[in-house]
Amino acid sequence: MRSRSVYENSPATVRIDNTPPTVAVTVPNGGEVALIDSTLLVTWNTTDDAGPGTVDLAYSTDSGATFPTVIATGVPDVGSYGWVVPVVRSTTVRVRVTAHDMNANTASDASDADFTIRETNVPPVLASIGDQTVDEG
């Protein structure tokens, strides 16, 4: 006769995690100027009982009404990502970070205010105009 384990008739406990992570974008959060083709370090803070998962990053050029352009997806949630700023000139840019925990719960946060993407300031080139005299009188 087989002996029965004490666990054979015990109910199992399964923990279900329906709690989404929390996420807060810290940079860029409004007022910054990002230069085209430079690397902007996007930073955020997340918390979650299940531990870190991944994040998706996107940007908006309409003050956050939509986020149609993906920066990156499935990035390990380490709190920062080096984004090479695209050739998009705008004064109404925002970044959104969407955090995914290990149990497929998600939460998002975006920049609190607009920031600017523009080209680097280039000093003007002064061309020689030849020998000129100036009449001061």
Side-chain angles (χ1 to χ4, degrees):
M1 179 172 214
R2 179 173 86 92
S3 69
R4 296 181 66 158
S5 166
V6 70
Y7 297 107
E8 283 183 14
N9 294 322
S10 299
T13 302
V14 177
R15 182 176 179 264
I16 298 174
D17 176 16
N18 291 323
T19 305
T22 60
V23 58
V25 172
T26 53
V27 174
N29 210 26
E32 298 88 349
V33 174
L35 301 178
I36 292 171
D37 291 329
S38 68
T39 299
L40 174 65
L41 190 62
V42 177
T43 62
W44 63 90
N45 295 316
T46 56
T47 57
D48 187 72
D49 292 341
T54 61
V55 297
D56 301 332
L57 296 98
Y59 75 92
S60 166
T61 57
D62 58 11
S63 297
T66 63
F67 287 87
T69 309
V70 172
I71 296 171
T73 60
V75 175
D77 185 0
V78 295
S80 65
Y81 180 82
W83 176 37
V84 177
V85 179
V87 181
V88 175
R89 290 163 188 82
S90 178
T91 58
T92 57
V93 184
R94 295 188 189 205
V95 166
R96 179 179 67 192
V97 175
T98 302
H100 306 271
D101 72 11
M102 302 305 275
N103 295 309
N105 299 305
T106 63
S108 295
D109 185 47
S111 307
D112 289 342
D114 296 339
F115 67 95
T116 298
I117 293 178
R118 66 170 173 80
E119 59 279 324
T120 304
N121 286 338
V122 178
V125 175
L126 300 177
S128 172
I129 57 173
D131 291 335
Q132 299 288 323
T133 58
V134 177
D135 183 9
E136 295 182 16

mmCIF file of all heavy atoms in Angstrom, residues 23 25 27-30 42 56-73 83 90 92-98 107-115 117:
data_model
loop_
_atom_site.group_PDB
_atom_site.id
_atom_site.type_symbol
_atom_site.label_atom_id
_atom_site.label_comp_id
_atom_site.label_asym_id
_atom_site.label_seq_id
_atom_site.Cartn_x
_atom_site.Cartn_y
_atom_site.Cartn_z
ATOM 1 N N VAL A 23 5.363 54.134 -12.392
ATOM 2 C CA VAL A 23 6.461 54.658 -13.196
ATOM 3 C C VAL A 23 6.360 56.176 -13.218
ATOM 4 O O VAL A 23 5.259 56.732 -13.241
ATOM 5 C CB VAL A 23 6.450 54.068 -14.632
ATOM 6 C CG1 VAL A 23 5.148 54.360 -15.342
ATOM 7 C CG2 VAL A 23 7.631 54.551 -15.445
ATOM 8 N N VAL A 25 8.481 59.429 -15.181
ATOM 9 C CA VAL A 25 9.550 59.970 -16.025
ATOM 10 C C VAL A 25 10.206 61.112 -15.251
ATOM 11 O O VAL A 25 9.521 61.992 -14.730
ATOM 12 C CB VAL A 25 8.986 60.473 -17.371
ATOM 13 C CG1 VAL A 25 10.059 61.203 -18.172
ATOM 14 C CG2 VAL A 25 8.402 59.326 -18.173
ATOM 15 N N VAL A 27 13.504 62.556 -16.565
ATOM 16 C CA VAL A 27 14.176 63.358 -17.599
ATOM 17 C C VAL A 27 13.864 62.718 -18.945
ATOM 18 O O VAL A 27 14.023 61.502 -19.080
ATOM 19 C CB VAL A 27 15.698 63.397 -17.391
ATOM 20 C CG1 VAL A 27 16.393 64.115 -18.558
ATOM 21 C CG2 VAL A 27 16.072 64.065 -16.077
ATOM 22 N N PRO A 28 13.402 63.469 -19.903
ATOM 23 C CA PRO A 28 13.057 64.885 -19.899
ATOM 24 C C PRO A 28 11.661 65.070 -19.306
ATOM 25 O O PRO A 28 10.754 64.304 -19.604
ATOM 26 C CB PRO A 28 13.079 65.258 -21.377
ATOM 27 C CG PRO A 28 12.680 63.997 -22.076
ATOM 28 C CD PRO A 28 13.215 62.871 -21.237
ATOM 29 N N ASN A 29 11.528 66.061 -18.461
ATOM 30 C CA ASN A 29 10.241 66.272 -17.813
ATOM 31 C C ASN A 29 9.663 67.649 -18.094
ATOM 32 O O ASN A 29 8.700 68.060 -17.463
ATOM 33 C CB ASN A 29 10.352 66.020 -16.313
ATOM 34 C CG ASN A 29 9.046 65.506 -15.738
ATOM 35 O OD1 ASN A 29 8.250 64.898 -16.436
ATOM 36 N ND2 ASN A 29 8.823 65.774 -14.476
ATOM 37 N N GLY A 30 10.264 68.363 -19.041
ATOM 38 C CA GLY A 30 9.736 69.660 -19.461
ATOM 39 C C GLY A 30 10.774 70.753 -19.357
ATOM 40 O O GLY A 30 11.482 70.855 -18.358
ATOM 41 N N VAL A 42 17.322 59.450 -21.185
ATOM 42 C CA VAL A 42 15.956 59.429 -20.663
ATOM 43 C C VAL A 42 16.014 58.642 -19.355
ATOM 44 O O VAL A 42 16.566 57.537 -19.316
ATOM 45 C CB VAL A 42 14.984 58.752 -21.653
ATOM 46 C CG1 VAL A 42 13.580 58.679 -21.073
ATOM 47 C CG2 VAL A 42 14.987 59.494 -22.986
ATOM 48 N N ASP A 56 8.863 50.226 -22.491
ATOM 49 C CA ASP A 56 8.795 50.712 -23.860
ATOM 50 C C ASP A 56 8.873 52.227 -23.791
ATOM 51 O O ASP A 56 8.304 52.838 -22.879
ATOM 52 C CB ASP A 56 7.475 50.314 -24.527
ATOM 53 C CG ASP A 56 7.260 48.803 -24.560
ATOM 54 O OD1 ASP A 56 8.252 48.054 -24.577
ATOM 55 O OD2 ASP A 56 6.089 48.385 -24.566
ATOM 56 N N LEU A 57 9.553 52.838 -24.746
ATOM 57 C CA LEU A 57 9.670 54.291 -24.798
ATOM 58 C C LEU A 57 9.148 54.798 -26.133
ATOM 59 O O LEU A 57 9.388 54.178 -27.175
ATOM 60 C CB LEU A 57 11.129 54.726 -24.619
ATOM 61 C CG LEU A 57 11.744 54.391 -23.270
ATOM 62 C CD1 LEU A 57 12.559 53.118 -23.355
ATOM 63 C CD2 LEU A 57 12.620 55.520 -22.796
ATOM 64 N N ALA A 58 8.435 55.914 -26.090
ATOM 65 C CA ALA A 58 7.899 56.542 -27.301
ATOM 66 C C ALA A 58 7.950 58.051 -27.105
ATOM 67 O O ALA A 58 8.085 58.536 -25.981
ATOM 68 C CB ALA A 58 6.472 56.081 -27.562
ATOM 69 N N TYR A 59 7.832 58.789 -28.213
ATOM 70 C CA TYR A 59 7.782 60.239 -28.080
ATOM 71 C C TYR A 59 6.644 60.830 -28.886
ATOM 72 O O TYR A 59 6.124 60.227 -29.817
ATOM 73 C CB TYR A 59 9.120 60.901 -28.403
ATOM 74 C CG TYR A 59 9.505 60.975 -29.862
ATOM 75 C CD1 TYR A 59 9.170 62.082 -30.631
ATOM 76 C CD2 TYR A 59 10.228 59.952 -30.451
ATOM 77 C CE1 TYR A 59 9.547 62.169 -31.963
ATOM 78 C CE2 TYR A 59 10.611 60.031 -31.780
ATOM 79 C CZ TYR A 59 10.270 61.136 -32.527
ATOM 80 O OH TYR A 59 10.640 61.215 -33.847
ATOM 81 N N SER A 60 6.275 62.038 -28.471
ATOM 82 C CA SER A 60 5.175 62.799 -29.049
ATOM 83 C C SER A 60 5.706 64.147 -29.508
ATOM 84 O O SER A 60 6.587 64.718 -28.859
ATOM 85 C CB SER A 60 4.107 63.006 -27.965
ATOM 86 O OG SER A 60 3.171 63.989 -28.356
ATOM 87 N N THR A 61 5.159 64.658 -30.589
ATOM 88 C CA THR A 61 5.477 66.034 -31.001
ATOM 89 C C THR A 61 4.223 66.904 -30.972
ATOM 90 O O THR A 61 4.202 67.978 -31.563
ATOM 91 C CB THR A 61 6.112 66.063 -32.413
ATOM 92 O OG1 THR A 61 5.224 65.430 -33.324
ATOM 93 C CG2 THR A 61 7.470 65.395 -32.427
ATOM 94 N N ASP A 62 3.190 66.424 -30.265
ATOM 95 C CA ASP A 62 1.951 67.203 -30.149
ATOM 96 C C ASP A 62 1.544 67.377 -28.674
ATOM 97 O O ASP A 62 0.386 67.238 -28.320
ATOM 98 C CB ASP A 62 0.825 66.563 -30.961
ATOM 99 C CG ASP A 62 0.526 65.122 -30.560
ATOM 100 O OD1 ASP A 62 1.035 64.657 -29.518
ATOM 101 O OD2 ASP A 62 -0.225 64.458 -31.292
ATOM 102 N N SER A 63 2.538 67.665 -27.855
ATOM 103 C CA SER A 63 2.330 67.917 -26.418
ATOM 104 C C SER A 63 1.711 66.725 -25.676
ATOM 105 O O SER A 63 1.041 66.885 -24.675
ATOM 106 C CB SER A 63 1.488 69.176 -26.187
ATOM 107 O OG SER A 63 2.164 70.312 -26.684
ATOM 108 N N GLY A 64 1.940 65.527 -26.188
ATOM 109 C CA GLY A 64 1.467 64.334 -25.504
ATOM 110 C C GLY A 64 0.059 63.893 -25.853
ATOM 111 O O GLY A 64 -0.471 63.000 -25.216
ATOM 112 N N ALA A 65 -0.537 64.498 -26.874
ATOM 113 C CA ALA A 65 -1.875 64.048 -27.300
ATOM 114 C C ALA A 65 -1.794 62.625 -27.854
ATOM 115 O O ALA A 65 -2.681 61.809 -27.614
ATOM 116 C CB ALA A 65 -2.462 64.998 -28.332
ATOM 117 N N THR A 66 -0.714 62.334 -28.590
ATOM 118 C CA THR A 66 -0.468 60.992 -29.109
ATOM 119 C C THR A 66 1.024 60.689 -28.959
ATOM 120 O O THR A 66 1.841 61.606 -28.854
ATOM 121 C CB THR A 66 -0.850 60.868 -30.601
ATOM 122 O OG1 THR A 66 -0.017 61.764 -31.368
ATOM 123 C CG2 THR A 66 -2.313 61.194 -30.829
ATOM 124 N N PHE A 67 1.371 59.411 -28.971
ATOM 125 C CA PHE A 67 2.765 58.974 -28.906
ATOM 126 C C PHE A 67 3.003 57.975 -30.035
ATOM 127 O O PHE A 67 3.186 56.786 -29.808
ATOM 128 C CB PHE A 67 3.077 58.346 -27.541
ATOM 129 C CG PHE A 67 3.164 59.367 -26.441
ATOM 130 C CD1 PHE A 67 2.022 59.766 -25.762
ATOM 131 C CD2 PHE A 67 4.378 59.943 -26.104
ATOM 132 C CE1 PHE A 67 2.081 60.712 -24.759
ATOM 133 C CE2 PHE A 67 4.452 60.896 -25.101
ATOM 134 C CZ PHE A 67 3.307 61.284 -24.427
ATOM 135 N N PRO A 68 3.012 58.472 -31.287
ATOM 136 C CA PRO A 68 3.062 57.560 -32.432
ATOM 137 C C PRO A 68 4.450 57.008 -32.754
ATOM 138 O O PRO A 68 4.554 56.031 -33.489
ATOM 139 C CB PRO A 68 2.560 58.439 -33.581
ATOM 140 C CG PRO A 68 3.011 59.813 -33.205
ATOM 141 C CD PRO A 68 2.856 59.857 -31.701
ATOM 142 N N THR A 69 5.498 57.608 -32.215
ATOM 143 C CA THR A 69 6.839 57.218 -32.632
ATOM 144 C C THR A 69 7.553 56.453 -31.522
ATOM 145 O O THR A 69 7.769 56.975 -30.429
ATOM 146 C CB THR A 69 7.660 58.451 -33.046
ATOM 147 O OG1 THR A 69 6.893 59.215 -33.989
ATOM 148 C CG2 THR A 69 8.967 58.036 -33.682
ATOM 149 N N VAL A 70 7.922 55.224 -31.827
ATOM 150 C CA VAL A 70 8.604 54.361 -30.870
ATOM 151 C C VAL A 70 10.082 54.745 -30.786
ATOM 152 O O VAL A 70 10.738 54.940 -31.812
ATOM 153 C CB VAL A 70 8.474 52.883 -31.299
ATOM 154 C CG1 VAL A 70 9.331 51.975 -30.435
ATOM 155 C CG2 VAL A 70 7.017 52.455 -31.261
ATOM 156 N N ILE A 71 10.577 54.857 -29.571
ATOM 157 C CA ILE A 71 12.016 55.036 -29.334
ATOM 158 C C ILE A 71 12.661 53.662 -29.176
ATOM 159 O O ILE A 71 13.666 53.361 -29.799
ATOM 160 C CB ILE A 71 12.265 55.900 -28.082
ATOM 161 C CG1 ILE A 71 11.715 57.309 -28.276
ATOM 162 C CG2 ILE A 71 13.753 55.938 -27.740
ATOM 163 C CD1 ILE A 71 11.718 58.168 -27.026
ATOM 164 N N ALA A 72 12.061 52.819 -28.320
ATOM 165 C CA ALA A 72 12.573 51.465 -28.081
ATOM 166 C C ALA A 72 11.497 50.645 -27.383
ATOM 167 O O ALA A 72 10.640 51.203 -26.688
ATOM 168 C CB ALA A 72 13.830 51.517 -27.225
ATOM 169 N N THR A 73 11.548 49.331 -27.556
ATOM 170 C CA THR A 73 10.609 48.435 -26.872
ATOM 171 C C THR A 73 11.373 47.297 -26.214
ATOM 172 O O THR A 73 12.451 46.909 -26.677
ATOM 173 C CB THR A 73 9.563 47.838 -27.837
ATOM 174 O OG1 THR A 73 10.243 47.100 -28.846
ATOM 175 C CG2 THR A 73 8.707 48.909 -28.474
ATOM 176 N N TRP A 83 18.926 57.811 -25.674
ATOM 177 C CA TRP A 83 18.147 58.019 -26.900
ATOM 178 C C TRP A 83 18.908 58.937 -27.828
ATOM 179 O O TRP A 83 19.217 60.085 -27.473
ATOM 180 C CB TRP A 83 16.797 58.619 -26.520
ATOM 181 C CG TRP A 83 15.890 58.994 -27.658
ATOM 182 C CD1 TRP A 83 15.718 58.340 -28.830
ATOM 183 C CD2 TRP A 83 15.010 60.127 -27.706
ATOM 184 N NE1 TRP A 83 14.768 58.981 -29.608
ATOM 185 C CE2 TRP A 83 14.326 60.082 -28.930
ATOM 186 C CE3 TRP A 83 14.723 61.157 -26.815
ATOM 187 C CZ2 TRP A 83 13.390 61.034 -29.311
ATOM 188 C CZ3 TRP A 83 13.794 62.107 -27.187
ATOM 189 C CH2 TRP A 83 13.125 62.046 -28.424
ATOM 190 N N SER A 90 10.990 70.499 -33.083
ATOM 191 C CA SER A 90 9.692 70.717 -32.441
ATOM 192 C C SER A 90 9.902 71.336 -31.071
ATOM 193 O O SER A 90 10.903 71.087 -30.408
ATOM 194 C CB SER A 90 8.938 69.393 -32.293
ATOM 195 O OG SER A 90 7.703 69.598 -31.633
ATOM 196 N N THR A 92 7.224 71.020 -28.916
ATOM 197 C CA THR A 92 6.131 70.386 -28.171
ATOM 198 C C THR A 92 6.358 68.880 -28.018
ATOM 199 O O THR A 92 5.468 68.068 -28.224
ATOM 200 C CB THR A 92 4.784 70.651 -28.868
ATOM 201 O OG1 THR A 92 4.860 70.174 -30.217
ATOM 202 C CG2 THR A 92 4.431 72.128 -28.843
ATOM 203 N N VAL A 93 7.583 68.503 -27.632
ATOM 204 C CA VAL A 93 7.959 67.098 -27.531
ATOM 205 C C VAL A 93 7.770 66.615 -26.089
ATOM 206 O O VAL A 93 8.027 67.342 -25.134
ATOM 207 C CB VAL A 93 9.429 66.887 -27.951
ATOM 208 C CG1 VAL A 93 9.795 65.410 -27.947
ATOM 209 C CG2 VAL A 93 9.693 67.502 -29.315
ATOM 210 N N ARG A 94 7.306 65.371 -25.965
ATOM 211 C CA ARG A 94 7.228 64.682 -24.668
ATOM 212 C C ARG A 94 7.632 63.229 -24.885
ATOM 213 O O ARG A 94 7.445 62.683 -25.960
ATOM 214 C CB ARG A 94 5.832 64.751 -24.067
ATOM 215 C CG ARG A 94 5.429 66.184 -23.726
ATOM 216 C CD ARG A 94 4.140 66.235 -22.973
ATOM 217 N NE ARG A 94 3.695 67.624 -22.867
ATOM 218 C CZ ARG A 94 2.917 68.063 -21.913
ATOM 219 N NH1 ARG A 94 2.458 67.242 -20.987
ATOM 220 N NH2 ARG A 94 2.559 69.337 -21.872
ATOM 221 N N VAL A 95 8.157 62.617 -23.828
ATOM 222 C CA VAL A 95 8.536 61.208 -23.856
ATOM 223 C C VAL A 95 7.611 60.452 -22.919
ATOM 224 O O VAL A 95 7.272 60.934 -21.840
ATOM 225 C CB VAL A 95 10.009 61.019 -23.432
ATOM 226 C CG1 VAL A 95 10.330 59.559 -23.134
ATOM 227 C CG2 VAL A 95 10.940 61.552 -24.501
ATOM 228 N N ARG A 96 7.204 59.233 -23.341
ATOM 229 C CA ARG A 96 6.391 58.364 -22.491
ATOM 230 C C ARG A 96 7.157 57.065 -22.239
ATOM 231 O O ARG A 96 7.760 56.505 -23.146
ATOM 232 C CB ARG A 96 5.067 58.030 -23.165
ATOM 233 C CG ARG A 96 4.178 57.104 -22.313
ATOM 234 C CD ARG A 96 2.865 56.798 -22.986
ATOM 235 N NE ARG A 96 3.113 55.995 -24.192
ATOM 236 C CZ ARG A 96 2.198 55.765 -25.124
ATOM 237 N NH1 ARG A 96 0.991 56.288 -25.027
ATOM 238 N NH2 ARG A 96 2.496 55.036 -26.181
ATOM 239 N N VAL A 97 7.127 56.629 -20.979
ATOM 240 C CA VAL A 97 7.703 55.343 -20.602
ATOM 241 C C VAL A 97 6.558 54.455 -20.133
ATOM 242 O O VAL A 97 5.782 54.841 -19.261
ATOM 243 C CB VAL A 97 8.749 55.499 -19.479
ATOM 244 C CG1 VAL A 97 9.254 54.138 -19.011
ATOM 245 C CG2 VAL A 97 9.909 56.375 -19.943
ATOM 246 N N THR A 98 6.446 53.275 -20.720
ATOM 247 C CA THR A 98 5.447 52.282 -20.320
ATOM 248 C C THR A 98 6.186 51.116 -19.680
ATOM 249 O O THR A 98 7.026 50.483 -20.327
ATOM 250 C CB THR A 98 4.629 51.790 -21.525
ATOM 251 O OG1 THR A 98 3.987 52.918 -22.141
ATOM 252 C CG2 THR A 98 3.577 50.779 -21.095
ATOM 253 N N ALA A 107 1.910 50.100 -16.739
ATOM 254 C CA ALA A 107 1.586 51.473 -16.335
ATOM 255 C C ALA A 107 2.473 52.402 -17.152
ATOM 256 O O ALA A 107 3.560 52.017 -17.583
ATOM 257 C CB ALA A 107 1.818 51.675 -14.849
ATOM 258 N N SER A 108 1.998 53.624 -17.374
ATOM 259 C CA SER A 108 2.748 54.592 -18.174
ATOM 260 C C SER A 108 2.834 55.930 -17.474
ATOM 261 O O SER A 108 1.972 56.288 -16.675
ATOM 262 C CB SER A 108 2.065 54.816 -19.526
ATOM 263 O OG SER A 108 2.074 53.649 -20.293
ATOM 264 N N ASP A 109 3.866 56.676 -17.825
ATOM 265 C CA ASP A 109 3.991 58.072 -17.420
ATOM 266 C C ASP A 109 4.698 58.797 -18.555
ATOM 267 O O ASP A 109 5.480 58.197 -19.299
ATOM 268 C CB ASP A 109 4.782 58.222 -16.121
ATOM 269 C CG ASP A 109 4.808 59.665 -15.620
ATOM 270 O OD1 ASP A 109 3.735 60.294 -15.589
ATOM 271 O OD2 ASP A 109 5.895 60.171 -15.278
ATOM 272 N N ALA A 110 4.411 60.080 -18.680
ATOM 273 C CA ALA A 110 5.022 60.901 -19.726
ATOM 274 C C ALA A 110 5.606 62.159 -19.111
ATOM 275 O O ALA A 110 5.294 62.513 -17.971
ATOM 276 C CB ALA A 110 3.983 61.262 -20.790
ATOM 277 N N SER A 111 6.429 62.832 -19.882
ATOM 278 C CA SER A 111 6.971 64.123 -19.463
ATOM 279 C C SER A 111 5.831 65.020 -19.009
ATOM 280 O O SER A 111 4.768 65.036 -19.627
ATOM 281 C CB SER A 111 7.691 64.804 -20.634
ATOM 282 O OG SER A 111 8.661 63.965 -21.219
ATOM 283 N N ASP A 112 6.045 65.765 -17.925
ATOM 284 C CA ASP A 112 5.001 66.639 -17.396
ATOM 285 C C ASP A 112 4.740 67.860 -18.266
ATOM 286 O O ASP A 112 3.654 68.427 -18.239
ATOM 287 C CB ASP A 112 5.364 67.114 -15.987
ATOM 288 C CG ASP A 112 5.270 65.999 -14.960
ATOM 289 O OD1 ASP A 112 4.611 64.968 -15.224
ATOM 290 O OD2 ASP A 112 5.862 66.158 -13.878
ATOM 291 N N ALA A 113 5.748 68.269 -19.025
ATOM 292 C CA ALA A 113 5.608 69.451 -19.877
ATOM 293 C C ALA A 113 6.458 69.246 -21.132
ATOM 294 O O ALA A 113 7.264 68.318 -21.208
ATOM 295 C CB ALA A 113 6.035 70.709 -19.122
ATOM 296 N N ASP A 114 6.272 70.120 -22.102
ATOM 297 C CA ASP A 114 6.980 70.024 -23.375
ATOM 298 C C ASP A 114 8.464 70.335 -23.220
ATOM 299 O O ASP A 114 8.865 71.116 -22.357
ATOM 300 C CB ASP A 114 6.402 71.012 -24.387
ATOM 301 C CG ASP A 114 4.956 70.711 -24.747
ATOM 302 O OD1 ASP A 114 4.505 69.566 -24.557
ATOM 303 O OD2 ASP A 114 4.278 71.648 -25.223
ATOM 304 N N PHE A 115 9.261 69.714 -24.103
ATOM 305 C CA PHE A 115 10.653 70.111 -24.264
ATOM 306 C C PHE A 115 10.896 70.311 -25.750
ATOM 307 O O PHE A 115 10.014 70.064 -26.574
ATOM 308 C CB PHE A 115 11.620 69.109 -23.615
ATOM 309 C CG PHE A 115 11.684 67.750 -24.259
ATOM 310 C CD1 PHE A 115 12.653 67.447 -25.204
ATOM 311 C CD2 PHE A 115 10.789 66.752 -23.897
ATOM 312 C CE1 PHE A 115 12.716 66.189 -25.787
ATOM 313 C CE2 PHE A 115 10.848 65.491 -24.468
ATOM 314 C CZ PHE A 115 11.812 65.207 -25.416
ATOM 315 N N ILE A 117 13.253 69.950 -29.347
ATOM 316 C CA ILE A 117 14.301 69.323 -30.142
ATOM 317 C C ILE A 117 14.676 70.327 -31.223
ATOM 318 O O ILE A 117 13.815 70.832 -31.943
ATOM 319 C CB ILE A 117 13.830 68.009 -30.799
ATOM 320 C CG1 ILE A 117 13.556 66.944 -29.743
ATOM 321 C CG2 ILE A 117 14.879 67.506 -31.789
ATOM 322 C CD1 ILE A 117 13.033 65.627 -30.315
#
